[in-house]
């Protein structure tokens, strides 16, 4: 009897053990190359799965966690202060047909293994937006039952130019057969810059709707003047709805533990990874742009899905910069006079292994190696880098106006538009507002080249001698005032005489040099020091025949 009872008692345990054993193990990468990202002027994470390689480039820890767990970045809370500052590259072998959900599980396992990441789920109030009905009746049309649901960007219609003015065509979207819940989800994608957090539908409207919506891009709002309209006013006036920012309870991922330094890579990691795809176009057509030619309306430009490359009226200098990974305002020694003015229509086909895989255009940086091969082949370019003395800057202390940081704040600097604008004739130039939290002077100096790219061409050295971390804000004109003054000194010939005289007056605005000194009590001191400079040894003005 005892044996029978024991057998019955063990049965549930054996069932549980058998069930646990039958559960498939979490998928993992066989191995991975994990290292700190190189310095870049474009600190945006990029991810791609192609050629048997899964790559995450320039990703901070919040980027990695949101990618691994499929959440919005604002829903990743807690953790050490560096989780939005330090950036990493991850390269691992993975079949090109690996499902997205499997990649997430593999990345979760990698983060736990290499960074010792520990997280848990919770619910907390986070910043978001609520979509509600406005004061009047909604200005929406009930949708026809047929038709694909979604919002489509419409081609921008050029505005007739007015001498001395800048015309900013609005963003226009046409939405069809869309529920309000789906529209709330779309708003974050469509109105990037205005809306960076979750949008919740509280309109109570059921069914699907058709409507159009027009607004001014957030970064260009100061230039648009009285013609500009924010996404919030557009939703109110054009749709009869209201979009308000509120704190909303939401599921979040809390970071309990994560190491700043990943564990070491396996030996000979680069030799083990799948080979990179060919760095050449399969075919390319390149010809000089006809004078006065305009890109076709509604055409798609850039590095497109399927591997097509469409670059009409492309300046040759702009092609050189991503080809050799140069800064946009970097110095090019040996450049002929025609380099800045020469424009070409480039149509090419990239190999399938490097084509954008996700249905959206890829950044021009992805074309870098192929553009370099094209320029060497068709323009017979010969180049090299050499150390030359350049005018660079050191950050020094004068009378610092800094606030001691809260050590629990996440480290980093965020850029936005300040309400102040610099006048330039009959239009205005935006003023950038920089807000830095819990940042050392060495980290701030390292960020300055990215923050103030039109002013600062080369890395800034920290010579302040200030230790510790600090909070501060400052603002400066997005375009250097001396450049604006030069532009104003040569008004269009069509302008009347009185406008031409006014154009020689001093232009408003604050340079980054004045901002750093007057607002922060620091100073950017110019100095000569050697730096690798890009040199063109030879380039033909006309490309070889197609």
């Amino acid at each position: 009897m005892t044996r029978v009872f024991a057998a019955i008692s063990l049965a549930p345990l054996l069932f549980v053990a058998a069930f646990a054993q039958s559960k498939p193990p979490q998928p993992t990468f066989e191995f991975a190359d994990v290292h700190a990202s190189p310095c870049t002027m474009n600190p945006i994470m990029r991810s791609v799965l192609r050629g048997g390689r899964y790559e995450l480039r320039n990703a901070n820890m919040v980027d990695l966690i949101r990618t691994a767990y499929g959440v919005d970045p604002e829903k990743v809370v807690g953790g050490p202060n560096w989780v939005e500052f330090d950036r990493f590259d991850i390269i691992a072998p993975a079949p090109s047909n690996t499902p997205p959900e499997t990649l997430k599980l593999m990345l979760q396992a990698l983060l736990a293994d290499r960074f010792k990441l520990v997280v848990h789920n919770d619910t907390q109030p986070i910043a978001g937006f609520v979509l509600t009905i406005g004061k009047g009746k909604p200005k929406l049309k009930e949708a026809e039952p047929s038709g694909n649901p979604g919002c489509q960007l419409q081609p921008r219609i050029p505005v007739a130019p007015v001498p001395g003015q800048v015309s900013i065509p609005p963003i226009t979207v046409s939405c069809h057969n869309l529920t309000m819940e789906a529209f709330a989800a779309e708003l974050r994608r469509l109105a990037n810059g205005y809306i960076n957090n979750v949008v919740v539908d509280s309109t109570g409207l059921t069914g699907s709707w058709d409507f159009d919506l027009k607004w001014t891009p957030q970064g260009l709002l100061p230039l648009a003047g009285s013609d500009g309209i924010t996404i919030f006013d557009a939703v109110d006036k054009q749709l009869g709805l209201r979009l308000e920012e509120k704190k909303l309870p939401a599921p979040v991922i809390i970071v309990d533990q994560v190491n700043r330094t990943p564990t070491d890579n396996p030996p000979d990691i680069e030799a083990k990874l799948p080979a990179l795809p060919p760095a050449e176009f399969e075919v390319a057509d390149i010809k000089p742009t006809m004078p006065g030619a305009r890109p076709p309306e509604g055409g798609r430009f850039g590095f497109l899905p399927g591997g097509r490359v469409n670059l009409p009226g492309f300046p040759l200098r702009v092609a050189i910069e991503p080809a050799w990974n140069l800064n946009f305002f970097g110095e090019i020694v040996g450049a002929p006079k025609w380099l800045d003015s020469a424009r070409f229509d480039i149509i090419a086909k990239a190999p399938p292994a490097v084509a954008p895989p996700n249905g959206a255009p890829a950044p021009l940086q992805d074309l870098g190696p192929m553009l370099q091969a094209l320029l060497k082949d068709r323009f017979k370019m010969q180049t090299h880098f050499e150390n030359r003395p350049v005018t660079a800057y050191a950050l020094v202390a004068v009378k610092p106006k800094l606030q001691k940081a809260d050590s629990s704040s996440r480290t980093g600097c965020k850029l936005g538009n300040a309400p102040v604008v610099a006048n330039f004739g009959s239009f205005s130039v935006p003023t950038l507002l920089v807000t830095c939290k819990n940042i050392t002077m060495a980290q701030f100096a390292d960020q300055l080249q990215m923050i103030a790219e039109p002013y600062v061409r080369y890395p800034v050295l920290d010579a302040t001698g200030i230790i510790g971390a600090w909070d501060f804000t400052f603002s400066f004109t997005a375009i250097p005032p001396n450049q604006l003054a030069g532009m104003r000194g040569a008004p269009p010939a069509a302008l009347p005489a009185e406008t031409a005289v006014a154009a020689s007056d001093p232009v408003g605005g604050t340079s980054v040099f004045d901002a750093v000194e007057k607002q922060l009590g620091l100073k950017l001191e110019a100095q000569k020091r050697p730096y690798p400079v890009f040199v063109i040894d030879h380039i033909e003005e006309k490309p070889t025949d197609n």
Side-chain angles (χ1 to χ4, degrees), residues 34-40 42-46 56-64 66 82-90 115 260 262 411 413-414 447 450:
V34 182
H35 58 268
S37 301
C39 183
T40 177
N42 186 24
I44 297 175
M45 186 197 81
R46 293 157 54 203
L56 289 156
R57 300 280 188 179
N58 209 37
N60 60 37
M61 186 52 61
V62 171
D63 290 330
L64 294 173
R66 70 175 174 85
W82 54 266
V83 293
E84 287 187 314
F85 190 82
D86 294 13
R87 293 186 176 270
F88 305 91
D89 287 357
I90 295 176
F115 289 92
R260 191 169 195 172
T411 297
C413 293
K414 297 186 183 297
Q447 295 282 293
M450 179 197 69

Side-chain angles (χ1 to χ4, degrees), residues 40-310:
T40 177
M41 300 295 289
N42 186 24
I44 297 175
M45 186 197 81
R46 293 157 54 203
S47 65
V48 67
L49 172 65
R50 60 192 176 196
R53 296 162 62 106
Y54 180 54
E55 298 185 4
L56 289 156
R57 300 280 188 179
N58 209 37
N60 60 37
M61 186 52 61
V62 171
D63 290 330
L64 294 173
I65 294 172
R66 70 175 174 85
T67 302
Y69 290 89
V71 299
D72 297 325
E74 67 272 9
K75 294 182 180 179
V76 180
V77 301
N81 56 34
W82 54 266
V83 293
E84 287 187 314
F85 190 82
D86 294 13
R87 293 186 176 270
F88 305 91
D89 287 357
I90 295 176
I91 309 170
S96 298
N97 60 352
T98 306
E101 291 305 315
T102 302
L103 282 177
K104 290 179 183 178
L105 294 173
M106 296 167 80
L107 184 56
Q108 290 176 25
L110 182 145
L111 296 177
D113 176 39
R114 302 293 298 275
F115 289 92
K116 308 307 175 188
L117 174 69
V118 178
V119 300
H120 75 272
N121 297 317
D122 202 347
T123 299
Q124 289 188 3
I126 63 171
F129 293 87
V130 177
L131 184 68
T132 60
I133 294 178
K135 294 181 179 179
K137 185 178 179 181
K139 304 172 184 178
L140 306 169
K141 178 184 176 183
E142 289 191 19
E144 297 293 335
S146 61
N148 295 325
C151 293
Q152 298 295 327
L153 284 169
Q154 302 301 301
R156 293 196 188 186
I157 300 175
V159 180
V162 177
Q165 295 184 12
V166 170
S167 299
I168 307 296
I171 294 175
T172 303
V173 297
S174 185
C175 300
H176 297 281
N177 200 15
L178 206 66
T179 66
M180 286 296 99
E181 182 180 6
F183 176 54
E186 280 280 270
L187 270 170
R188 178 169 182 165
R189 177 182 69 86
L190 295 170
N192 186 27
Y194 288 104
I195 300 173
N196 296 315
N197 297 327
V198 66
V199 181
V200 174
D201 168 38
S202 292
T203 61
L205 295 173
T206 59
S208 298
W209 308 88
D210 292 344
F211 52 89
D212 294 334
L213 188 64
K214 298 180 181 181
W215 71 93
T216 306
Q218 199 265 350
L220 299 178
L221 198 62
L223 295 176
S226 59
D227 294 331
I229 182 169
T230 68
I231 186 67
F232 308 105
D233 287 341
V235 168
D236 182 15
K237 296 176 181 178
Q238 299 170 28
L239 304 183
L241 306 177
R242 180 174 295 174
L243 195 57
E244 295 180 304
E245 189 170 11
K246 292 185 178 181
K247 286 282 188 178
L248 304 169
V252 298
I253 290 180
I254 296 181
V255 180
D256 299 312
Q257 172 189 308
V258 63
N259 289 350
R260 191 169 195 172
T261 303
T263 56
D264 293 338
N265 287 322
D268 303 322
I269 183 67
E270 290 190 10
K272 295 178 179 177
L273 288 168
L276 288 168
E280 294 183 356
F281 294 117
E282 291 183 348
V283 63
D285 180 275
I286 180 168
K287 57 187 178 183
T289 302
M290 295 295 293
R294 287 191 173 187
E297 287 299 321
R300 300 188 71 189
F301 313 129
F303 190 10
L304 306 175
R308 180 180 174 86
V309 177
N310 189 23

Side-chain angles (χ1 to χ4, degrees), residues 399-485:
K399 294 182 179 179
K401 306 173 184 178
L402 310 172
Q403 180 180 349
K404 196 67 178 175
D406 176 358
S407 60
S408 64
S409 299
R410 289 182 176 176
T411 297
C413 293
K414 297 186 183 297
L415 276 65
N417 283 334
V420 180
V421 295
N423 294 322
F424 172 40
S426 57
F427 65 93
S428 302
V429 175
T431 296
L432 293 179
L433 176 66
V434 184
T435 304
C436 297
K437 296 285 187 182
N438 198 18
I439 195 167
T440 67
M441 289 296 98
Q443 291 171 328
F444 177 52
D446 187 56
Q447 295 282 293
L448 268 169
Q449 187 183 5
M450 179 197 69
I451 292 171
E453 184 181 4
Y455 297 86
V456 182
R457 291 183 175 181
Y458 305 104
V460 176
L461 298 179
D462 172 32
T464 61
I466 299 174
I467 60 174
W470 307 88
D471 293 345
F472 51 88
T473 62
F474 66 103
S475 59
F476 63 95
T477 308
I479 301 176
N482 61 340
Q483 290 186 18
L484 291 179

Side-chain angles (χ1 to χ4, degrees), residues 347-410:
I347 299 175
K349 179 72 168 61
V354 298
N358 300 322
L364 285 181
Q365 287 87 341
D366 285 5
L367 290 175
M370 290 177 283
L371 283 173
Q372 185 176 136
L374 179 71
L375 293 169
K376 287 180 178 179
D377 177 42
R378 304 293 298 276
F379 290 88
K380 306 305 177 185
M381 277 192 71
Q382 298 175 18
T383 67
H384 72 280
F385 285 89
E386 67 177 54
N387 281 343
R388 293 195 177 195
V390 299
T391 300
Y393 294 95
L395 185 67
V396 300
V398 183
K399 294 182 179 179
K401 306 173 184 178
L402 310 172
Q403 180 180 349
K404 196 67 178 175
D406 176 358
S407 60
S408 64
S409 299
R410 289 182 176 176

